[in-house]
Amino acid sequence: MNHMSHTKDLCCSGDHAGGRALMPVNEAIARSLSLASAVDGIELVALEDAIGRVLARDLTAPFALPPFDNSAMDGYAVRSSDLAGAGPWQLKVAGRVAAGDDAGQAGTLRPGQAYRIFTGAAIPAGADAVIMQEHVERDGDIITLHESVDAGSCVRKQGEDAPKGSLLLAKGSLIGAREVGAIASVGLAEVAVLCKVSIALFCTGSELRQPGQSLAPGQIYNSNRYMMIAALRQPWIQLHDMGAVADDPKLLRDALVSASRKADMVVTTGGVSVGEEDHMVRQLMAAGGEIEVMKIAMKPGKPLSIGRLNGAVYVGLPGNPVAAFTTWKIIASRVARKLSGQSEAQVAVIQVEAEQGFTRRPGRQEFRPAKIVGFSANGRPQVRLLDQSFSAKISLICKSDGFAVIPAASTCIASGECLEFVRL
Ligand code: AMP
Ligand code: MG
């Protein structure tokens, strides 16, 4: 979210943390990203296993793509110079080349001749254009043409997609279906990818029970664990799921230390607010760690705390599931992507319009669950903003299409005002 760096986002007038101004979201993102350097291990994987992994080296075309001039249509290969002067013209069909045929076997096309040709077939020597079969009348071996063609018409030239040696995919590309297609097109059965980034996850809270267990009074189900397992189930992540840990300082410190020893990134949920039972920041420091980002001018997500421990990046997500989800999406997932070596770590935003106006307390940049309800008169998606007090309501994010982004300093949003929107 580059373009969130408007100066209005950087001023946070209303909200303060213990007398100190809260950290603007952009600064939190920049500082968090500066903690992450990409994994450097490389492994070779089969093409089928490359999906969702990160390309370790630039991929250049080892030969021209396409490798030979070929037909873009089903039709007839011709010499464009045969179609000079006034038409119609007649040519004799003297050969045939289908996709996969060696055009050399078909011989050279001579003046006055045409070859039957099909899409993807190599252009025979002597021919320089293809006429679509729809533009030809055929009677036995003779075709009649009523329109001339330019040289090169309906011919895919050797190297027009990618010349030999040109960059096909940059190092750091996340390999999706398109990238797998490009790698296969140059004949590679294996590809060098970066090793997975290892992420250890545990949730804190003495109130948490596992789904499937029964709840005693005061207890709730651990939704963050499953939500974060789902968010972290990526082919480029090696997940160490450490379950839940009670709000006990010693247990939490031990869990932090063991997580930091086995992972590049430690993600926890809960225990980062200012209550007496919020032990994470203190225990991280007691274990020799440091915090770089905390008390953020963000709603939800003010308690998000990011730092380091034993060479691992530490991400303490807030306990409220909506806040955990939002801070993961907007800030922490970008840190994970950077650690994994992905060059593209932006969060994609689109421009939308607010359906209704409202007023608000300034100070924190807000990520408000919103639903797309239609299109405005000028064609932008129009969004309805959901409940003001949404931080603890997981049902609300399930009803929303994304987050409308409200600048920190805004005190009112007019009906029809343009906002950024992060799609979920
Ligand atoms: P905390 O950040 O630990 O103060 O937690 C804030 C709120 O989120 C409290 O109401 C917690 O009960 C709730 N909470 C914390 N962790 C989880 C979790 N793993 N699943 C569901 N709710 C949680
Ligand atoms: Mg807690």
Side-chain angles (χ1 to χ4, degrees), residues 39-70:
V39 292
D40 50 14
I42 293 179
E43 57 182 327
L44 261 189
V45 294
L47 191 50
E48 307 85 280
D49 299 324
I51 184 93
R53 302 294 300 273
V54 181
L55 194 66
R57 301 190 188 103
D58 284 350
L59 176 66
T60 53
F63 49 80
L65 278 179
F68 48 87
D69 291 0
N70 68 94

Side-chain angles (χ1 to χ4, degrees), residues 60-307:
T60 53
F63 49 80
L65 278 179
F68 48 87
D69 291 0
N70 68 94
S71 178
M73 295 288 171
D74 292 330
Y76 294 87
V78 301
R79 304 165 70 98
S80 57
S81 56
D82 278 353
L83 310 179
W89 304 270
Q90 291 199 318
L91 300 171
K92 185 169 187 323
V93 181
R96 184 180 191 277
V97 204
D101 287 351
D102 175 359
Q105 302 279 324
T108 299
L109 190 77
R110 299 189 192 293
Q113 291 185 337
Y115 280 2
R116 184 76 171 113
I117 197 164
F118 301 93
T119 306
I123 303 293
D128 65 358
V130 170
I131 300 201
M132 286 168 71
Q133 62 191 36
E134 293 87 336
H135 295 168
V136 162
E137 285 161 21
R138 180 160 180 173
D139 184 9
D141 278 352
I142 301 298
I143 56 170
T144 304
L145 301 97
H146 296 274
E147 278 177 40
S148 63
V149 284
D150 294 330
S153 177
C154 294
V155 173
R156 301 170 181 152
K157 293 297 285 178
Q158 179 186 51
E160 74 173 23
D161 185 0
K164 179 177 176 178
S166 64
L167 183 68
L168 277 184
L169 298 172
K171 169 185 174 175
S173 300
L174 184 64
I175 302 174
R178 288 172 292 172
E179 288 76 13
V180 168
I183 298 165
S185 73
V186 295
L188 295 178
E190 288 183 324
V191 56
V193 297
L194 291 172
C195 289
K196 297 184 183 199
V197 56
S198 73
I199 301 186
L201 169 71
F202 67 91
C203 297
T204 75
S206 299
E207 71 278 36
L208 303 176
R209 285 294 169 276
Q210 285 290 103
Q213 295 177 340
S214 55
L215 292 180
Q219 298 180 336
I220 59 169
Y221 287 118
N222 186 348
S223 44
N224 286 343
R225 178 175 175 210
Y226 294 90
M227 181 176 77
M228 289 312 300
I229 288 174
L232 295 169
R233 187 162 291 170
Q234 304 288 343
W236 49 271
I237 293 176
Q238 176 73 52
L239 177 64
H240 304 275
D241 170 27
M242 296 169 61
V245 180
D247 292 316
D248 173 285
K250 169 87 173 68
L251 291 178
L252 292 169
R253 193 194 314 182
D254 290 349
L256 276 172
V257 169
S258 105
S260 68
R261 293 217 169 108
K262 64 175 143 224
D264 304 308
M265 183 180 201
V266 177
V267 177
T268 64
T269 71
V272 282
S273 303
V274 290
E276 276 162 41
E277 294 295 345
D278 294 319
H279 304 290
M280 297 309 287
V281 169
R282 261 189 313 272
Q283 292 313 312
L284 181 96
M285 310 255 228
E290 58 203 34
I291 290 289
E292 179 70 16
V293 168
M294 65 190 300
K295 300 193 170 69
I296 301 168
M298 176 175 186
K299 183 182 174 186
K302 184 163 121 182
L304 172 71
S305 302
I306 296 184

